[in-house]
């Protein structure tokens, strides 16, 4: 590419253009998952929609591979690419809360924590994920599950409107009334359809919650999984509760005597008082043995959201695989116990996130996100700080997934897939919606310009 072409592009941007050799290049290209090491040709740190349009036009006209980066949390590193252009949205911060309408407008560089912080001041929250450093962009476009899902639905179920820069550089708004087909595709279709430059969400009254983890020795995991399976679908929807098979981290503030112990954990969030929360949880807790320790208590919602952040800073090795689960028969629980007993590192885990309640009240064809009849979204994540453990955590995640996947519904959450899953997995995930998604891709991105994602190919 000629220097003049690049200079022109640089001058057209308000934000910095970071190329190889730039002092900030190595820092700017880093992703959350330390297992992924991509070297883009240039990173356009956009600060407004004009920058995004300039970057998309420049990338397309110069035949560059384009990656869109929100929070950079994608497991397979889909927020970057080798030898192409990164449209980096991370400088586009800003959250505007409309307390009267309980609506929250979010810029695409925001993290989950940015949104929680701004909304909390108004006694509100947008249903989304459980780790504050996750980017709201990728999380939303893939679906978005978290503590508030049972009561208020997926993040996409609370999306009212999105501004989008399309592959041809044009700018549109998508909502139920404006470009409704694009709005349908955005809700679950990932970054396939354009660069979202603004999200408008419905928020809900959430402020101080009764929440936290309860840890049991893993020898009780069979009983806890059975009781959890039977209890949660009938529990009040104000109670979000996910189950984890994990290890007590050998670090403060965990009790020293329990460090390194394999555990089964219930991590809960009751949107209400401790008294009501205890009442809601009593039916399951009274059937379980005394825990190793119980950290339930009242806390501001953003504090709960940031609870795990210190344990998993940027740069660790991650390999994950997911499945949607409609039922959890005893046979499946046995397969879980067998694989969990082989967990290779302290941080590696299996989580079962509930996706019942409000998620089921949306029809399967109402959004691209199709798994409306699943009960849980499962993730198996092999995690470790050391690159030396990369193979071990990858092997374990794959073997665990192979053992339990026969008990799943076939598809999996696109945000819990790596880059090696193949089109068959996307087909299984989107089910009856897949053909329509490929038709939408043909309409909005016929040349597949946006293909650094869980890629939906244009029909035909
Ligand atoms: C520690 C951790 C915890 C997590 N917890 C949860 C959870 O509780 N719930 C949950 O649902 N998911 C969770 N996830 C998964 C998360 O949703 C995905 O990793 C998601 O891709 C992160 O989005 P991002 O913007 O940070 O990622 P990026 O890597 O920046 O982008 C991911 C994908 O989204 C696309 N994209 C991002 N922003 C835009 C945009 N504005 N316009 C168009 N495309 C865009 C990118 O092109 C890319 O394909 C978690 C991930 C991690 C690492």
């Amino acid at each position: 590419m000629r220097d003049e072409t690049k200079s022109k592009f640089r001058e057209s941007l308000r934000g910095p253009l970071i190329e190889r050799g730039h002092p900030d290049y190595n820092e700017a290209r880093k992703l959350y998952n330390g297992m992924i090491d991509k070297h883009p040709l240039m990173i356009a740190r956009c600060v407004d929609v004009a920058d995004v349009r300039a970057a998309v036009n420049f990338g397309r006209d110069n035949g560059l591979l384009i990656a869109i980066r929100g929070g950079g949390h994608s497991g397979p590193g889909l927020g970057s690419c080798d030898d192409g252009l990164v449209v980096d949205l991370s400088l586009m911060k800003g959250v505007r809360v409309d307390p009267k309408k309980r609506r929250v407008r979010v810029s695409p560089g925001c993290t989950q924590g940015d949104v929680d912080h701004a909304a909390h001041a108004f006694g509100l929250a947008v249903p989304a994920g459980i780790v504050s450093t996750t980017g709201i962009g990728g999380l939303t476009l893939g679906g978005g599950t978290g503590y508030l899902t049972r009561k208020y639905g997926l993040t996409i179920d609370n999306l009212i409107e999105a501004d989008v820069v399309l592959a041809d550089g044009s700018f549109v708004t998508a909502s139920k009334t404006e470009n409704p087909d694009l709005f349908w595709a955005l809700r679950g279709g990932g970054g396939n359809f354009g660069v979202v430059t603004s999200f408008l969400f419905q928020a809900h009254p959430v402020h101080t919650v009764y929440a936290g983890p309860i840890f049991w020795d893993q020898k009780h995991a069979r009983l806890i999984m059975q009781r959890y399976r039977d209890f949660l679908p009938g529990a009040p929807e104000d109670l979000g509760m996910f189950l984890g098979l994990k290890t007590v981290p050998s670090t403060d503030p965990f009790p020293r005597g329990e460090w390194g112990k394999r555990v089964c954990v219930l991590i809960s969030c009751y949107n209400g008082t401790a008294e009501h929360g205890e009442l809601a949880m009593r039916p399951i807790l009274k059937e379980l043995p005394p825990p190793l320790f119980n950290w339930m208590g009242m806390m501001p919602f953003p504090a709960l959201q940031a609870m795990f952040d210190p344990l998993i800073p940027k740069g660790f090795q991650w390999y994950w695989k997911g499945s949607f689960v409609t039922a959890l028969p005893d046979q499946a629980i046995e397969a879980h116990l067998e694989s969990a007993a082989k967990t290779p590192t302290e941080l590696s885990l299996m989580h079962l996130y509930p996706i019942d309640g409000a998620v089921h009240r949306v029809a399967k064809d109402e959004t691209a996100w199709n798994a409306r009849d699943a009960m849980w979204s499962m993730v198996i994540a092999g995690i470790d700080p050391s690159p030396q453990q990369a193979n071990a955590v990858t092997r374990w995640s794959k073997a665990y997934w192979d053992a339990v996947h026969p008990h799943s519904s076939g598809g999996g959450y696109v945000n819990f897939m790596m880059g090696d899953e193949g089109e068959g997995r996307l087909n299984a995930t989107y089910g009856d919606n897949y053909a329509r998604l490929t038709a939408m891709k043909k309409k909005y991105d016929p040349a597949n310009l946006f293909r650094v994602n869980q890629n939906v190919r244009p029909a035909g």
Side-chain angles (χ1 to χ4, degrees):
M1 188 183 302
R2 287 166 50 198
D3 281 352
E4 195 188 301
T5 314
K6 268 195 281 187
S7 299
K8 258 183 148 174
F9 175 44
R10 184 179 293 105
E11 282 158 21
S12 73
L13 298 172
R14 277 255 156 156
L17 181 68
I18 300 174
E19 293 177 67
R20 290 175 181 166
H22 188 286
D24 296 338
Y25 176 78
N26 269 326
E27 201 47 47
R29 72 181 183 82
K30 274 189 196 155
L31 299 169
Y32 181 78
N33 186 356
M35 206 183 273
I36 313 290
D37 186 26
K38 294 189 178 175
H39 291 78
L41 204 57
M42 50 182 92
I43 301 167
R45 303 203 107 167
C46 302
V47 296
D48 57 18
V49 178
D51 278 1
V52 174
R53 295 182 77 179
V56 168
N57 288 335
F58 175 81
R60 186 196 58 239
D61 293 347
N62 289 284
L64 294 176
L65 185 62
I66 294 180
I68 309 163
R69 176 179 177 145
H73 258 227
S74 150
L78 297 175
S80 187
C81 58
D82 280 319
D83 306 320
L85 169 69
V86 176
V87 180
D88 183 343
L89 307 169
S90 60
L91 297 182
M92 292 176 71
K93 297 270 195 188
V95 182
R96 181 181 183 273
V97 181
D98 176 345
K100 285 199 205 99
K101 291 187 179 156
R102 290 184 181 154
R103 287 180 169 188
V104 182
R105 172 141 327 257
V106 179
S107 296
C110 288
T111 61
Q112 170 79 69
D114 295 328
V115 182
D116 287 336
H117 175 80
H120 184 69
F122 295 91
L124 298 171
V126 174
I130 60 152
V131 171
S132 88
T133 53
T134 312
I136 205 74
L139 179 138
T140 300
L141 297 170
T145 69
Y147 294 111
L148 306 175
T149 304
R150 298 189 68 231
K151 177 82 180 256
Y152 297 117
L154 302 168
T155 310
I156 47 166
D157 299 335
N158 295 279
L159 184 64
I160 297 169
E161 181 181 291
D163 290 345
V164 192
V165 173
L166 299 175
D168 63 3
S170 62
F171 173 85
V172 295
T173 295
S175 69
K176 278 191 180 159
T177 51
E178 222 175 322
N179 300 299
D181 56 354
L182 176 61
F183 189 54
W184 177 88
L186 289 176
R187 286 176 293 161
N192 272 289
F193 299 93
V195 187
V196 176
T197 54
S198 178
F199 297 88
L200 180 65
F201 293 108
Q202 187 65 55
H204 302 277
V206 179
H207 191 261
T208 307
V209 292
Y210 178 63
I214 310 179
F215 292 72
W216 286 266
D217 193 299
Q218 213 173 87
K219 68 184 179 205
H220 302 302
R222 179 178 293 107
L223 178 69
I224 298 167
M225 290 184 85
Q226 288 168 340
R227 292 294 174 268
Y228 173 72
R229 166 195 71 192
D230 299 339
F231 160 75
L232 198 66
E237 288 180 4
D238 276 317
L239 179 65
M241 181 190 267
F242 69 90
L243 181 142
L245 296 178
K246 306 154 85 92
T247 306
V248 179
S250 298
T251 178
D252 289 333
F254 296 93
R256 268 174 195 264
E258 315 295 357
W259 283 7
K261 193 175 270 180
R262 296 241 162 99
V263 282
C264 182
V265 190
L266 291 178
I267 300 158
S268 308
C269 170
Y270 182 83
N271 185 21
T273 63
E275 190 192 346
H276 289 147
E278 278 171 11
L279 210 61
M281 291 172 69
R282 192 169 297 158
I284 182 166
L285 295 186
K286 75 172 192 223
E287 296 192 341
L288 299 178
L292 291 175
F293 50 105
N294 179 340
W295 279 353
M296 294 290 296
M298 292 302 293
M299 63 187 81
F301 186 66
L304 172 68
Q305 294 284 85
M307 190 177 263
F308 301 112
D309 295 1
L311 292 175
I312 43 172
K314 185 174 174 177
F316 284 7
Q317 309 287 304
W318 284 70
Y319 188 93
W320 62 26
K321 281 182 89 78
S323 294
F324 289 126
V325 176
T326 39
L328 201 58
D330 286 350
Q331 232 183 332
I333 293 176
E334 293 309 317
H336 275 284
L337 300 180
E338 223 171 279
S339 297
K342 298 175 194 152
T343 307
T345 62
E346 269 193 2
L347 287 170
S348 298
L349 54 84
M350 187 287 295
H351 281 174
L352 271 178
Y353 301 105
I355 43 172
D356 58 342
V359 183
H360 290 193
R361 293 194 280 277
V362 176
K364 268 169 116 50
D365 60 357
E366 214 172 299
T367 65
W369 206 91
N370 180 263
R372 300 283 177 181
D373 49 3
M375 293 300 289
W376 288 281
S377 172
M378 178 197 70
V379 68
I380 298 155
I383 312 168
D384 197 72
S386 165
Q388 262 98 53
Q389 293 289 356
N391 286 338
V393 297
T394 302
R395 269 199 311 271
W396 172 78
S397 303
K398 286 182 173 173
Y400 192 148
W401 187 86
D402 286 344
V404 296
H405 188 65
H407 303 284
S408 82
S409 66
Y413 181 29
V414 287
N415 279 347
F416 291 155
M417 286 182 191
M418 292 302 279
D420 52 4
E421 304 263 0
E423 200 175 352
R425 279 284 277 156
L426 280 195
N427 222 321
T429 294
Y430 290 114
D432 293 342
N433 289 340
Y434 192 62
R436 185 171 170 199
L437 265 177
T438 63
M440 287 304 107
K441 182 75 173 173
K442 187 173 178 190
K443 176 172 175 187
Y444 287 102
D445 183 15
N448 205 3
L449 183 69
F450 302 117
R451 59 184 179 279
V452 184
N453 43 43
Q454 297 298 349
N455 194 228
V456 173
R457 299 224 188 95

